[in-house]
């Protein structure tokens, strides 16, 4: 089976390829010649994931999936949530977002947070959804330089390292997106 992952993020693509293993060949958007900035204008994770998958399906008629992820911080009433990518403003960097988060969390003792991922799959014209979640805490300062996004300031429960200090293999095993994509792969194997 072949699936196009509706993302330009090479970290995410590598994660998905590693999780899929030999059972499913996962391609990036360049495989279908898509270099568009795919709109994600919904105000929910599932809305954005569906919007991105639908865009690729309508334009290229290929089996595909898209994901959307949010970091939900308990003390910030679930922010940045669906706005995780643009938390510090339009066209901001990962570093800008991390800086803003750390600033908002200064002096806050409740550090609980979770990453949530929703995956929308379109397979032979049928639509499916999968979810993954990982709980943890927001660190007071960045640790590590692997990964992307909020990885340096997120420490998953049960570990004493940040996501940015873990190998890709270890992160995939427990991450929000890893869990959601693994659920999708398990489902595909039942077909
Ligand atoms: P996306 O819309 O799924 O790309 O995710 C929105 C934002 O959440 C990204 O721009 C990152 O800042 C953040 N994010 C998503 N996945 C991860 C992750 O695995 N680690 C750290 N940050 C992430």
């Amino acid at each position: 089976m072949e699936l196009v992952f509706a993302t330009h993020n090479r970290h995410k693509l590598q994660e998905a390829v590693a999780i899929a293993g030999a059972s499913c060949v996962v391609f990036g958007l360049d495989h279908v010649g898509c270099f568009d900035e795919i709109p994600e204008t919904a105000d929910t994770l599932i809305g954005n994931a569906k919007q991105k998958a639908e865009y690729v399906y309508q334009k290229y008629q290929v089996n595909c999936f898209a994901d959307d992820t949010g970091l939900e911080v308990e003390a910030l009433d679930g922010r940045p949530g669906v706005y995780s990518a643009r938390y510090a403003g339009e066209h901001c960097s990962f570093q800008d977002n991390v800086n803003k988060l750390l600033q908002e969390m200064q002096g806050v003792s409740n550090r609980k947070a979770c990453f949530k991922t929703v995956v929308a799959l379109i397979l032979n014209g049928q639509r499916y959804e999968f979810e993954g979640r990982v709980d943890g805490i927001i660190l007071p300062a960045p640790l590590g330089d692997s990964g992307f996004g909020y990885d340096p300031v997120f420490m998953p429960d049960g570990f004493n390292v940040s996501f940015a200090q873990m190998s890709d293999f270890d992160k995939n095993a427990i991450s929000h997106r890893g869990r959601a994509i693994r659920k999708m792969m398990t489902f595909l194997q039942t077909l």
Side-chain angles (χ1 to χ4, degrees), residues 9 12 15 40 52 67-71 81-82 84-86 94 97 115 117 148-151 163 171 175-177:
N9 180 321
K12 288 188 183 183
E15 283 180 8
E40 40 181 314
K52 290 186 275 187
D67 75 322
D68 201 44
T69 293
L71 173 67
V82 69
S84 294
R86 292 157 282 157
F94 289 142
N97 285 332
F115 274 112
T117 292
F148 69 100
Y150 300 90
D151 277 349
F163 262 171
K171 181 186 167 190
S175 83
H176 43 300
R177 194 169 30 260

